[in-house]
Amino acid sequence: MRVYEPLAAFSEKRAEYWRDYAQSGRAVDPAHGPRLQRAELYDSVRSGWTELPMMSDDAYVITTDRGPLICPWRLGPRIAEAIRTIDSQIPSHLVDAFVPQSIQEAAIFSNPRDVDKTSPEIAPGWHEQVANWHVPIRWFSCVDIGDREMSISDDRRVVRYRVPMARARRRVRHAYGILQTSMGKDNPVAVSARHTSEWLALFHPKSVVEVDYGGIAWVLSEAELRQDDSPQLAHDALSALATGDVMLASRRYEQLLRRWKLVRLRERRNLRWFKITLNHP
């Protein structure tokens, strides 16, 4: 999920940079961005690295009549944040094997100005949330099936939802209200909706929110993509919950869970096939 902010969200200096960037045609197509980000990351973070890498100052851009909307990558600060929280992902005694002590210390004492000197503004939050091989169900509370944009051809597949920030905020607040009333504010599903609402609140009110299927558009068949009604299932579950129809809400939620569980199982099958192919040419 991405947030594209107007130039008014940035400092004067940064707004001028992004204006020139958008006009130059250097903006990255979201269909290619994740691959380019990974390539830059792998090229910068190598064995024997001794300092935090300087990353490119790129962004995704939406062109509108009122000016460009910008979704900065901010790879440098994101790398530093990942290093600061790495001990929550792997056992603490293995951290040094992945990240040298000097890099860990640099990340702890860094801030966005220090990590990425080409991006001196301290933005209120990351402009992207990433999920591997699935679309988190909580994201569907922000969009509606009518917001879908789809382009499918032999060499390009794009499936995404784009909505104005005000609409996305209103929808996710509504979802959280239903969930906390019906299930309690500490229920994990309600908590995830609250976190999404809090994240969206960090950005400019004239922003645009995007839920992008990315590479998943190549995993699913064209028929599956066209028939996918995940946002509708999410809203049906919430509406049923709001009226007290717990059975219907459970059925719709289970449909969503099962659908995206099957997508994630395809990941495992694809990885297994890939490993077998590498080992048996």
Side-chain angles (χ1 to χ4, degrees):
M1 182 159 66
R2 304 185 183 103
V3 173
Y4 294 78
E5 291 194 284
L7 296 179
F10 301 93
S11 67
E12 183 177 349
K13 181 178 180 180
R14 293 301 292 162
E16 185 63 29
Y17 173 84
W18 289 125
R19 184 181 294 106
D20 293 342
Y21 180 88
Q23 293 174 349
S24 72
R26 301 189 342 254
V28 183
D29 187 329
H32 306 303
R35 174 178 56 81
L36 296 176
Q37 288 183 359
R38 287 193 298 271
E40 182 172 357
L41 177 63
Y42 296 153
D43 187 58
S44 301
V45 181
R46 296 181 176 181
S47 176
W49 60 325
T50 58
E51 59 182 12
L52 291 171
M54 293 291 293
M55 310 299 289
S56 63
D57 197 9
D58 284 305
Y60 301 118
V61 177
I62 297 176
T63 302
T64 74
D65 293 339
R66 296 184 297 276
L69 299 174
I70 309 296
C71 177
W73 286 7
R74 295 177 54 80
L75 293 181
R78 288 162 67 179
I79 289 174
E81 177 64 19
I83 293 171
R84 286 193 291 268
T85 59
I86 192 173
D87 58 356
S88 66
Q89 306 297 319
I90 61 175
S92 57
H93 65 278
L94 295 178
V95 171
D96 290 350
F98 288 87
V99 182
Q101 186 66 37
S102 60
I103 302 296
Q104 296 175 47
E105 293 174 356
I108 290 173
F109 293 105
S110 72
N111 60 46
R113 291 181 188 273
D114 296 327
V115 176
D116 188 357
K117 295 181 174 60
T118 61
S119 290
E121 89 280 2
I122 300 180
W126 306 136
H127 291 69
E128 289 187 276
Q129 291 190 1
V130 180
N132 294 326
W133 285 89
H134 75 294
V135 178
I137 292 175
R138 65 184 181 275
W139 293 359
F140 290 119
S141 65
C142 301
V143 300
D144 186 81
I145 194 69
D147 303 319
R148 183 169 62 185
E149 300 176 8
M150 181 181 298
S151 175
I152 299 177
S153 63
D154 291 340
D155 58 354
R156 180 178 173 82
R157 286 192 175 196
V158 175
V159 179
R160 65 191 177 205
Y161 298 82
R162 284 179 175 173
V163 295
M165 175 61 79
R167 193 179 306 164
R169 286 177 177 171
R170 184 169 62 250
R171 286 171 175 167
V172 74
R173 283 199 302 266
H174 179 66
Y176 174 60
I178 293 173
L179 291 167
Q180 72 165 340
T181 299
S182 303
M183 305 171 70
K185 65 179 182 179
D186 295 325
N187 179 275
V189 179
V191 170
S192 68
R194 187 184 77 240
H195 288 168
T196 300
S197 179
E198 291 171 347
W199 181 67
L200 293 178
L202 295 173
F203 299 97
H204 194 282
K206 297 298 183 181
S207 301
V208 164
V209 177
E210 175 182 82
V211 174
D212 185 1
Y213 276 37
I216 294 175
W218 291 99
V219 175
L220 302 176
S221 68
E222 180 175 347
E224 287 174 314
L225 290 172
R226 295 192 182 281
Q227 295 168 10
D228 178 45
D229 60 348
S230 294
Q232 189 61 53
L233 287 176
H235 289 297
D236 286 350
L238 288 167
S239 296
L241 202 58
T243 59
D245 193 340
V246 178
M247 292 298 293
L248 177 59
S250 296
R251 286 200 298 272
R252 294 293 180 264
Y253 187 66
E254 286 298 325
Q255 280 181 268
L256 269 175
L257 285 179
R258 185 167 58 253
R259 174 178 297 173
W260 289 100
K261 180 180 179 181
L262 291 173
V263 174
R264 300 190 78 168
L265 286 175
R266 294 187 191 187
E267 171 202 14
R268 297 179 185 177
R269 288 198 298 268
N270 288 342
L271 287 175
R272 188 177 298 114
W273 173 86
F274 182 64
K275 291 176 181 178
I276 292 173
T277 303
L278 286 179
N279 295 328
H280 298 85

